Coordinates of all heavy atoms in Angstrom, one line a residue:
M1123 N 2.1 -28.3 -5.2 CA 1.6 -27.3 -4.2 C 1.1 -26.1 -5.0 O 1.8 -25.6 -5.8 CB 2.7 -26.9 -3.2 CG 2.2 -25.9 -2.2 SD 3.5 -25.5 -1.0 CE 2.9 -24.0 -0.4
T1124 N -0.1 -25.7 -4.7 CA -0.7 -24.5 -5.3 C -0.6 -23.3 -4.4 O -1.0 -23.4 -3.3 CB -2.1 -24.8 -5.7 OG1 -2.2 -25.9 -6.6 CG2 -2.7 -23.6 -6.4
I1125 N 0.0 -22.3 -4.9 CA 0.0 -21.0 -4.2 C -1.1 -20.1 -4.7 O -1.1 -19.8 -5.9 CB 1.3 -20.3 -4.3 CG1 2.4 -21.2 -3.7 CG2 1.3 -19.0 -3.5 CD1 3.8 -20.7 -3.8
T1126 N -2.1 -19.8 -3.9 CA -3.2 -19.0 -4.4 C -2.7 -17.5 -4.5 O -1.8 -17.1 -3.8 CB -4.4 -19.0 -3.4 OG1 -4.0 -18.5 -2.2 CG2 -4.8 -20.5 -3.2
K1127 N -3.4 -16.8 -5.3 CA -3.1 -15.4 -5.4 C -3.3 -14.7 -4.1 O -2.5 -13.8 -3.7 CB -4.1 -14.8 -6.5 CG -3.9 -13.3 -6.7 CD -3.1 -13.0 -7.9 CE -3.1 -11.5 -8.2 NZ -2.4 -11.1 -9.3
E1128 N -4.3 -15.1 -3.3 CA -4.5 -14.4 -2.1 C -3.3 -14.6 -1.1 O -2.9 -13.7 -0.5 CB -5.8 -15.0 -1.4 CG -6.2 -14.3 -0.1 CD -7.5 -14.9 0.5 OE1 -7.7 -16.1 0.3 OE2 -8.2 -14.1 1.1
R1129 N -2.8 -15.8 -1.1 CA -1.6 -16.0 -0.3 C -0.5 -15.1 -0.7 O 0.2 -14.6 0.2 CB -1.2 -17.5 -0.3 CG 0.0 -17.8 0.5 CD 0.4 -19.3 0.3 NE -0.6 -20.2 0.8 CZ -0.5 -20.8 2.0 NH1 0.5 -20.7 2.7 NH2 -1.5 -21.6 2.4
I1130 N -0.2 -15.0 -1.9 CA 0.8 -14.1 -2.4 C 0.6 -12.7 -1.9 O 1.4 -12.0 -1.4 CB 0.9 -14.2 -3.9 CG1 1.4 -15.6 -4.4 CG2 1.9 -13.1 -4.4 CD1 1.4 -15.8 -5.8
L1131 N -0.7 -12.2 -2.1 CA -1.0 -10.9 -1.7 C -0.8 -10.7 -0.2 O -0.3 -9.6 0.2 CB -2.4 -10.5 -2.1 CG -2.7 -10.4 -3.6 CD1 -4.2 -10.3 -3.9 CD2 -2.0 -9.2 -4.1
Q1132 N -1.2 -11.6 0.6 CA -1.1 -11.5 2.0 C 0.3 -11.4 2.5 O 0.6 -10.6 3.4 CB -1.8 -12.7 2.7 CG -3.3 -12.5 2.8 CD -3.9 -13.7 3.5 OE1 -3.3 -14.8 3.6 NE2 -5.1 -13.5 4.0
N1133 N 1.2 -12.2 1.9 CA 2.5 -12.4 2.5 C 3.6 -11.5 1.8 O 4.7 -11.5 2.2 CB 2.9 -13.8 2.5 CG 2.1 -14.7 3.4 OD1 1.5 -14.1 4.3 ND2 1.9 -15.9 3.1
D1134 N 3.2 -10.9 0.7 CA 4.2 -10.2 -0.1 C 4.4 -8.8 0.4 O 3.5 -8.0 0.2 CB 3.7 -10.2 -1.6 CG 4.9 -10.1 -2.5 OD1 6.0 -10.2 -2.1 OD2 4.6 -9.8 -3.7
P1135 N 5.5 -8.4 1.0 CA 5.7 -7.0 1.3 C 5.8 -6.2 0.1 O 6.2 -6.6 -1.0 CB 7.0 -7.1 2.2 CG 7.7 -8.3 1.7 CD 6.7 -9.3 1.3
L1136 N 5.5 -4.9 0.3 CA 5.6 -4.0 -0.9 C 7.1 -3.8 -1.2 O 7.9 -3.7 -0.3 CB 5.0 -2.7 -0.5 CG 3.4 -2.7 -0.4 CD1 2.9 -1.5 0.3 CD2 2.8 -2.8 -1.8
K1137 N 7.3 -3.7 -2.5 CA 8.7 -3.6 -3.0 C 8.9 -2.2 -3.7 O 7.9 -1.6 -4.0 CB 9.1 -4.7 -3.9 CG 9.0 -6.1 -3.3 CD 9.5 -7.2 -4.2 CE 8.4 -7.5 -5.3 NZ 7.2 -8.1 -4.7
I1138 N 10.1 -1.9 -3.9 CA 10.4 -0.6 -4.6 C 9.7 -0.7 -6.0 O 9.2 0.4 -6.5 CB 11.9 -0.4 -4.8 CG1 12.5 -0.1 -3.4 CG2 12.2 0.7 -5.8 CD1 14.0 0.1 -3.4
A1139 N 9.6 -1.9 -6.6 CA 9.0 -2.0 -7.9 C 7.5 -1.8 -7.9 O 6.9 -1.6 -9.0 CB 9.4 -3.3 -8.5
D1140 N 6.9 -1.9 -6.7 CA 5.4 -1.7 -6.7 C 5.1 -0.2 -6.8 O 5.7 0.6 -6.0 CB 4.9 -2.2 -5.3 CG 4.9 -3.7 -5.3 OD1 4.6 -4.3 -6.3 OD2 5.2 -4.3 -4.2
R1141 N 4.2 0.2 -7.6 CA 4.0 1.6 -8.0 C 2.5 2.0 -7.7 O 1.6 1.2 -7.9 CB 4.3 1.8 -9.4 CG 5.8 1.7 -9.7 CD 6.6 2.8 -9.2 NE 8.0 2.4 -8.8 CZ 8.9 3.2 -8.3 NH1 8.6 4.5 -8.0 NH2 10.1 2.8 -7.9
C1142 N 2.4 3.2 -7.3 CA 1.0 3.7 -7.0 C 0.2 3.7 -8.3 O 0.7 4.0 -9.4 CB 1.2 5.2 -6.6 SG -0.4 6.1 -6.5
D1143 N -1.0 3.1 -8.3 CA -1.8 3.0 -9.4 C -2.3 4.4 -9.9 O -2.8 4.5 -11.0 CB -3.1 2.2 -9.1 CG -2.7 0.7 -9.0 OD1 -1.8 0.2 -9.7 OD2 -3.2 0.0 -8.0
Q1144 N -2.2 5.4 -9.1 CA -2.7 6.7 -9.5 C -1.6 7.5 -10.2 O -1.8 8.2 -11.1 CB -3.1 7.5 -8.2 CG -4.2 6.8 -7.4 CD -5.6 7.3 -7.9 OE1 -5.9 8.5 -7.9 NE2 -6.4 6.3 -8.3
C1145 N -0.3 7.5 -9.6 CA 0.7 8.4 -10.1 C 2.0 7.7 -10.5 O 2.9 8.4 -11.0 CB 0.9 9.5 -9.1 SG 1.8 8.9 -7.6
G1146 N 2.2 6.5 -10.1 CA 3.4 5.8 -10.5 C 4.5 6.0 -9.5 O 5.6 5.4 -9.7
A1147 N 4.3 6.7 -8.4 CA 5.3 6.8 -7.4 C 5.4 5.5 -6.6 O 4.6 4.6 -6.8 CB 5.0 7.9 -6.4
Q1148 N 6.5 5.3 -5.8 CA 6.6 4.1 -5.0 C 5.4 3.9 -4.1 O 5.0 4.8 -3.5 CB 7.9 4.2 -4.2 CG 8.1 2.8 -3.4 CD 9.4 2.8 -2.7 OE1 10.2 3.8 -2.8 NE2 9.6 1.8 -1.9
A1149 N 4.9 2.7 -4.2 CA 3.7 2.4 -3.4 C 4.1 2.0 -2.0 O 5.0 1.2 -1.7 CB 2.9 1.3 -4.0
F1150 N 3.3 2.5 -1.0 CA 3.5 2.2 0.4 C 2.3 1.6 1.0 O 2.3 1.2 2.2 CB 4.0 3.4 1.2 CG 5.4 3.8 0.9 CD1 5.7 4.7 0.0 CD2 6.4 3.1 1.6 CE1 7.1 5.1 -0.2 CE2 7.8 3.5 1.4 CZ 8.1 4.5 0.4
V1151 N 1.2 1.5 0.3 CA -0.1 1.0 0.8 C -0.7 0.1 -0.2 O -0.8 0.5 -1.4 CB -1.1 2.1 1.2 CG1 -2.3 1.5 1.8 CG2 -0.5 3.0 2.2
R1152 N -1.1 -1.1 0.2 CA -1.8 -2.0 -0.7 C -3.2 -2.3 -0.1 O -3.3 -2.6 1.1 CB -1.1 -3.4 -0.8 CG -1.9 -4.4 -1.6 CD -1.2 -5.8 -1.6 NE -0.2 -5.8 -2.6 CZ 1.1 -6.2 -2.4 NH1 1.4 -6.6 -1.2 NH2 2.0 -6.2 -3.4
V1153 N -4.2 -2.1 -0.9 CA -5.6 -2.3 -0.5 C -6.1 -3.5 -1.3 O -6.2 -3.5 -2.5 CB -6.5 -1.1 -0.7 CG1 -7.9 -1.4 -0.3 CG2 -5.9 0.1 0.0
V1154 N -6.5 -4.6 -0.6 CA -6.9 -5.8 -1.2 C -8.4 -5.9 -1.0 O -8.9 -5.9 0.1 CB -6.2 -7.0 -0.6 CG1 -6.7 -8.3 -1.3 CG2 -4.7 -6.9 -0.8
F1155 N -9.1 -6.0 -2.2 CA -10.6 -6.0 -2.1 C -11.1 -7.5 -2.1 O -12.3 -7.6 -1.9 CB -11.1 -5.3 -3.4 CG -10.9 -3.8 -3.3 CD1 -9.7 -3.3 -3.9 CD2 -11.8 -3.0 -2.7 CE1 -9.5 -1.9 -3.8 CE2 -11.6 -1.6 -2.7 CZ -10.4 -1.1 -3.2
G1156 N -10.3 -8.4 -2.4 CA -10.9 -9.8 -2.5 C -9.8 -10.7 -2.9 O -8.6 -10.5 -2.6
M1157 N -10.2 -11.8 -3.6 CA -9.2 -12.8 -4.0 C -8.1 -12.3 -4.9 O -7.0 -12.7 -4.8 CB -9.9 -14.0 -4.6 CG -10.8 -14.8 -3.7 SD -9.9 -15.7 -2.5 CE -9.3 -17.1 -3.5
D1158 N -8.5 -11.5 -5.8 CA -7.6 -11.1 -6.9 C -7.7 -9.6 -7.3 O -7.3 -9.3 -8.4 CB -7.8 -12.0 -8.1 CG -9.2 -11.9 -8.6 OD1 -10.0 -11.2 -8.0 OD2 -9.5 -12.5 -9.7
R1159 N -8.2 -8.8 -6.4 CA -8.3 -7.4 -6.8 C -7.5 -6.6 -5.7 O -7.8 -6.7 -4.5 CB -9.7 -6.9 -6.8 CG -10.5 -7.5 -8.0 CD -12.0 -7.0 -8.0 NE -12.0 -5.6 -8.0 CZ -13.0 -4.8 -7.3 NH1 -13.9 -5.4 -6.6 NH2 -12.9 -3.5 -7.4
D1160 N -6.6 -5.8 -6.2 CA -5.9 -4.9 -5.2 C -5.6 -3.6 -5.9 O -5.6 -3.5 -7.1 CB -4.7 -5.6 -4.6 CG -3.6 -5.8 -5.6 OD1 -3.8 -5.6 -6.8 OD2 -2.5 -6.1 -5.1
L1161 N -5.3 -2.6 -5.1 CA -4.9 -1.3 -5.5 C -3.6 -0.9 -4.7 O -3.6 -1.2 -3.6 CB -6.0 -0.2 -5.4 CG -7.2 -0.3 -6.3 CD1 -8.2 0.7 -5.8 CD2 -6.8 0.0 -7.7
L1162 N -2.7 -0.3 -5.4 CA -1.5 0.2 -4.7 C -1.6 1.7 -4.7 O -2.0 2.4 -5.6 CB -0.3 -0.2 -5.5 CG -0.1 -1.8 -5.6 CD1 1.1 -2.1 -6.5 CD2 0.1 -2.4 -4.2
F1163 N -1.1 2.3 -3.6 CA -1.1 3.7 -3.4 C 0.2 4.2 -2.8 O 0.8 3.5 -2.0 CB -2.2 4.1 -2.4 CG -3.6 3.9 -2.8 CD1 -4.3 2.7 -2.4 CD2 -4.3 4.8 -3.5 CE1 -5.6 2.5 -2.8 CE2 -5.6 4.6 -3.9 CZ -6.3 3.5 -3.6
C1164 N 0.6 5.3 -3.3 CA 1.7 6.0 -2.6 C 1.1 6.7 -1.3 O -0.2 6.7 -1.1 CB 2.3 7.1 -3.5 SG 1.2 8.5 -3.9
G1165 N 1.9 7.2 -0.4 CA 1.4 7.7 0.8 C 0.4 8.9 0.5 O -0.6 9.0 1.1
H1166 N 0.8 9.7 -0.4 CA 0.0 10.9 -0.8 C -1.4 10.5 -1.2 O -2.4 11.0 -0.7 CB 0.7 11.7 -1.9 CG -0.1 12.7 -2.5 ND1 -0.3 14.0 -1.9 CD2 -0.8 12.7 -3.7 CE1 -1.1 14.7 -2.8 NE2 -1.4 14.0 -3.8
H1167 N -1.5 9.5 -2.1 CA -2.8 9.2 -2.7 C -3.6 8.3 -1.7 O -4.8 8.4 -1.7 CB -2.6 8.5 -4.0 CG -2.4 9.4 -5.2 ND1 -1.3 9.5 -5.9 CD2 -3.3 10.4 -5.6 CE1 -1.4 10.5 -6.8 NE2 -2.6 11.1 -6.6
F1168 N -2.9 7.5 -0.8 CA -3.7 6.8 0.2 C -4.3 7.8 1.2 O -5.5 7.7 1.6 CB -2.9 5.8 0.9 CG -3.8 4.9 1.8 CD1 -4.7 4.0 1.2 CD2 -3.7 5.0 3.2 CE1 -5.5 3.2 2.1 CE2 -4.5 4.3 4.0 CZ -5.4 3.4 3.4
N1169 N -3.5 8.8 1.6 CA -4.1 9.8 2.5 C -5.3 10.5 1.9 O -6.3 10.7 2.6 CB -3.0 10.9 2.7 CG -1.9 10.4 3.7 OD1 -2.1 9.4 4.4 ND2 -0.8 11.1 3.6
R1170 N -5.3 10.7 0.6 CA -6.4 11.4 -0.1 C -7.6 10.5 -0.2 O -8.7 11.0 0.0 CB -5.9 11.9 -1.5 CG -7.1 12.6 -2.2 CD -6.7 12.9 -3.7 NE -5.7 13.9 -3.8 CZ -5.2 14.4 -4.9 NH1 -5.7 13.9 -6.1 NH2 -4.3 15.3 -5.0
H1171 N -7.4 9.2 -0.4 CA -8.5 8.3 -0.7 C -9.0 7.5 0.5 O -10.0 6.9 0.4 CB -8.2 7.4 -1.9 CG -8.0 8.1 -3.2 ND1 -9.0 8.7 -3.9 CD2 -6.9 8.3 -3.9 CE1 -8.6 9.3 -5.0 NE2 -7.3 9.0 -5.0
E1172 N -8.2 7.5 1.6 CA -8.5 6.6 2.7 C -9.9 6.8 3.3 O -10.6 5.9 3.5 CB -7.4 6.8 3.8 CG -7.7 5.9 5.0 CD -6.6 6.1 6.1 OE1 -5.9 7.1 6.0 OE2 -6.5 5.2 6.9
P1173 N -10.3 8.1 3.5 CA -11.7 8.2 4.1 C -12.8 7.6 3.2 O -13.7 7.0 3.8 CB -11.8 9.8 4.2 CG -10.5 10.3 4.2 CD -9.7 9.4 3.3
I1174 N -12.7 7.8 1.9 CA -13.7 7.2 1.0 C -13.6 5.7 1.0 O -14.6 5.0 1.0 CB -13.6 7.9 -0.4 CG1 -13.9 9.4 -0.3 CG2 -14.6 7.2 -1.3 CD1 -13.7 10.1 -1.5
L1175 N -12.4 5.2 0.8 CA -12.2 3.8 0.8 C -12.7 3.1 2.0 O -13.4 2.1 1.9 CB -10.7 3.5 0.6 CG -10.1 3.5 -0.8 CD1 -8.6 3.4 -0.7 CD2 -10.7 2.4 -1.6
M1176 N -12.4 3.6 3.2 CA -12.7 3.0 4.4 C -14.2 3.1 4.7 O -14.8 2.2 5.3 CB -12.0 3.6 5.6 CG -10.5 3.3 5.5 SD -10.0 1.6 5.4 CE -9.3 1.5 3.8
T1177 N -14.9 4.1 4.1 CA -16.3 4.2 4.2 C -17.1 3.3 3.3 O -18.0 2.6 3.7 CB -16.7 5.7 3.9 OG1 -16.1 6.5 4.8 CG2 -18.2 5.8 4.1
Q1178 N -16.6 3.2 2.0 CA -17.3 2.4 1.1 C -16.9 0.9 1.1 O -17.7 0.1 0.7 CB -17.1 3.0 -0.3 CG -17.6 4.4 -0.5 CD -17.6 4.9 -1.9 OE1 -17.1 4.2 -2.8 NE2 -18.2 6.0 -2.2
Y1179 N -15.7 0.7 1.5 CA -15.2 -0.7 1.5 C -14.6 -1.0 2.9 O -13.4 -1.2 3.1 CB -14.1 -0.9 0.5 CG -14.6 -0.6 -0.9 CD1 -14.3 0.7 -1.5 CD2 -15.4 -1.5 -1.7 CE1 -14.7 1.0 -2.7 CE2 -15.8 -1.1 -2.9 CZ -15.5 0.1 -3.5 OH -15.9 0.5 -4.7
P1180 N -15.4 -1.1 3.9 CA -14.9 -1.3 5.3 C -14.2 -2.6 5.6 O -13.5 -2.7 6.5 CB -16.2 -1.1 6.2 CG -17.3 -1.5 5.3 CD -16.9 -1.0 3.9
H1181 N -14.4 -3.6 4.7 CA -13.8 -4.9 4.9 C -12.6 -5.2 4.1 O -12.1 -6.3 4.1 CB -14.9 -6.0 4.7 CG -16.1 -5.8 5.5 ND1 -16.1 -5.9 6.9 CD2 -17.4 -5.5 5.2 CE1 -17.3 -5.7 7.4 NE2 -18.1 -5.4 6.4
V1182 N -12.0 -4.2 3.4 CA -10.8 -4.4 2.7 C -9.7 -4.7 3.6 O -9.7 -4.3 4.8 CB -10.5 -3.2 1.7 CG1 -11.5 -3.0 0.7 CG2 -10.3 -2.0 2.6
R1183 N -8.7 -5.3 3.1 CA -7.4 -5.6 3.8 C -6.4 -4.6 3.4 O -6.1 -4.5 2.2 CB -7.0 -7.1 3.6 CG -5.9 -7.6 4.6 CD -5.8 -9.1 4.5 NE -5.4 -9.5 3.2 CZ -6.1 -10.3 2.4 NH1 -7.2 -10.8 2.7 NH2 -5.6 -10.7 1.2
V1184 N -5.8 -3.9 4.3 CA -4.9 -2.8 4.0 C -3.5 -3.2 4.6 O -3.4 -3.5 5.7 CB -5.4 -1.5 4.6 CG1 -4.3 -0.4 4.4 CG2 -6.7 -1.1 4.1
T1185 N -2.5 -3.2 3.7 CA -1.2 -3.3 4.1 C -0.6 -1.9 4.1 O -0.4 -1.3 3.0 CB -0.4 -4.2 3.1 OG1 -1.0 -5.5 3.1 CG2 1.1 -4.3 3.6
D1186 N -0.3 -1.3 5.2 CA 0.1 0.1 5.3 C 1.6 0.1 5.8 O 1.9 -0.2 6.9 CB -0.8 0.8 6.4 CG -0.5 2.3 6.4 OD1 0.5 2.7 5.9 OD2 -1.3 3.0 7.0
E1187 N 2.4 0.5 4.8 CA 3.8 0.6 5.1 C 4.3 2.0 5.1 O 5.5 2.3 4.8 CB 4.6 -0.3 4.2 CG 4.2 -1.8 4.3 CD 5.1 -2.7 3.5 OE1 6.1 -2.2 2.9 OE2 4.8 -3.9 3.4
R1188 N 3.4 2.9 5.4 CA 3.7 4.4 5.3 C 4.8 4.7 6.3 O 5.5 5.7 6.1 CB 2.5 5.2 5.5 CG 1.7 5.3 4.2 CD 0.4 6.2 4.5 NE -0.5 5.5 5.4 CZ -1.6 6.0 5.8 NH1 -2.0 7.2 5.5 NH2 -2.4 5.3 6.6
H1189 N 4.9 3.9 7.4 CA 6.0 4.2 8.3 C 7.4 4.1 7.7 O 8.4 4.6 8.3 CB 5.9 3.2 9.5 CG 6.0 1.8 9.1 ND1 4.9 1.1 8.6 CD2 7.0 0.9 9.1 CE1 5.3 -0.2 8.4 NE2 6.6 -0.3 8.6
R1190 N 7.5 3.4 6.5 CA 8.8 3.3 5.9 C 9.1 4.5 5.0 O 10.2 4.6 4.6 CB 8.8 2.0 5.0 CG 8.7 0.7 5.8 CD 8.6 -0.5 4.9 NE 9.5 -0.4 3.8 CZ 9.2 -0.8 2.5 NH1 8.0 -1.3 2.3 NH2 10.1 -0.7 1.6
I1191 N 8.2 5.4 4.8 CA 8.4 6.6 4.0 C 9.5 7.4 4.8 O 9.3 7.7 6.0 CB 7.2 7.4 3.8 CG1 6.2 6.6 3.0 CG2 7.5 8.7 3.1 CD1 4.8 7.2 2.8
N1192 N 10.5 7.8 4.1 CA 11.6 8.6 4.7 C 12.1 8.0 5.9 O 12.4 8.6 6.9 CB 11.1 10.0 5.0 CG 10.6 10.8 3.8 OD1 11.2 10.6 2.7 ND2 9.6 11.6 3.9
H1193 N 12.3 6.6 5.9 CA 12.7 5.9 7.0 C 14.1 6.4 7.5 O 14.4 6.5 8.6 CB 12.8 4.4 6.7 CG 13.1 3.5 7.9 ND1 12.3 3.5 9.0 CD2 14.2 2.8 8.2 CE1 12.8 2.6 9.9 NE2 14.0 2.2 9.4
K1194 N 15.0 6.6 6.5 CA 16.3 7.1 6.8 C 16.2 8.6 6.9 O 15.8 9.3 6.0 CB 17.3 6.7 5.7 CG 17.7 5.3 5.7 CD 18.7 5.0 4.6 CE 19.2 3.6 4.6 NZ 20.2 3.3 3.5
P1195 N 16.7 9.2 8.0 CA 16.7 10.6 8.1 C 17.7 11.2 7.1 O 18.7 10.6 6.9 CB 17.1 10.9 9.6 CG 17.8 9.7 10.0 CD 17.2 8.5 9.2
S1196 N 17.4 12.3 6.6 CA 18.3 12.9 5.7 C 19.5 13.4 6.4 O 19.5 13.7 7.6 CB 17.6 14.1 5.0 OG 17.4 15.2 5.9
L1197 N 20.6 13.6 5.7 CA 21.9 14.0 6.3 C 21.7 15.4 6.9 O 22.3 15.7 7.9 CB 23.0 14.1 5.2 CG 23.4 12.7 4.7 CD1 24.4 12.8 3.6 CD2 24.0 11.8 5.8
S1198 N 20.9 16.2 6.3 CA 20.7 17.6 6.8 C 19.9 17.6 8.1 O 19.8 18.6 8.7 CB 20.0 18.4 5.7 OG 18.8 18.0 5.4
A1199 N 19.3 16.5 8.5 CA 18.5 16.5 9.7 C 19.3 16.8 10.9 O 18.8 17.3 11.9 CB 17.8 15.1 9.9
N1200 N 20.6 16.5 10.9 CA 21.4 16.7 12.1 C 22.2 18.0 11.9 O 23.0 18.4 12.8 CB 22.4 15.6 12.3 CG 21.7 14.3 12.7 OD1 20.7 14.4 13.4 ND2 22.2 13.2 12.2
A1201 N 22.0 18.7 10.9 CA 22.7 20.0 10.7 C 22.1 21.1 11.6 O 21.0 21.1 11.8 CB 22.7 20.4 9.2
D1202 N 23.0 21.9 12.0 CA 22.6 23.1 12.8 C 21.9 24.2 12.0 O 22.3 24.4 10.9 CB 23.7 23.7 13.7 CG 24.1 22.7 14.8 OD1 23.2 22.0 15.3 OD2 25.3 22.7 15.1
Ligands
ZN212 ZN1 0.2 8.3 -6.0

């Protein structure tokens, strides 16, 4: 059985080991340009580049897991 790169990219959730291609922070967004080209972004850098990316590459496939950023509330969130 052959697993294509595309299949791996489609089904593979972002992991802690996936790093932003711009700054090396944990990646929360994957932008796939085709069969074997993708870019990883942290939330900060995807926010910065999203308007240009979506304008110039409207057909890219985006895995957006930014909702996982700060998923656990900090302990101080409940402090008075
Ligand atoms: Zn970054």
Side-chain angles (χ1 to χ4, degrees):
M1123 180 177 157
T1124 302
I1125 298 175
T1126 65
K1127 177 98 173 183
E1128 185 177 31
R1129 179 182 296 257
I1130 292 170
L1131 288 172
Q1132 279 181 337
N1133 295 336
D1134 203 14
L1136 290 164
K1137 296 182 286 291
I1138 290 175
D1140 289 320
R1141 293 289 150 180
C1142 174
D1143 289 318
Q1144 301 269 305
C1145 70
Q1148 184 176 352
F1150 285 96
V1151 182
R1152 172 184 283 129
V1153 179
V1154 179
F1155 291 90
M1157 292 290 283
D1158 58 357
R1159 290 180 57 213
D1160 68 348
L1161 288 173
L1162 299 175
F1163 294 94
C1164 65
H1166 168 80
H1167 279 114
F1168 188 70
N1169 287 339
R1170 180 187 288 181
H1171 295 291
E1172 182 178 16
I1174 295 172
L1175 275 170
M1176 294 304 110
T1177 300
Q1178 296 190 354
Y1179 304 98
H1181 302 297
V1182 295
R1183 195 165 61 241
V1184 177
T1185 300
D1186 187 346
E1187 298 186 6
R1188 282 178 291 175
H1189 59 278
R1190 292 174 47 218
I1191 297 175
N1192 297 327
H1193 186 66
K1194 288 184 180 177
S1196 67
L1197 292 174
S1198 62
N1200 292 325
D1202 288 327

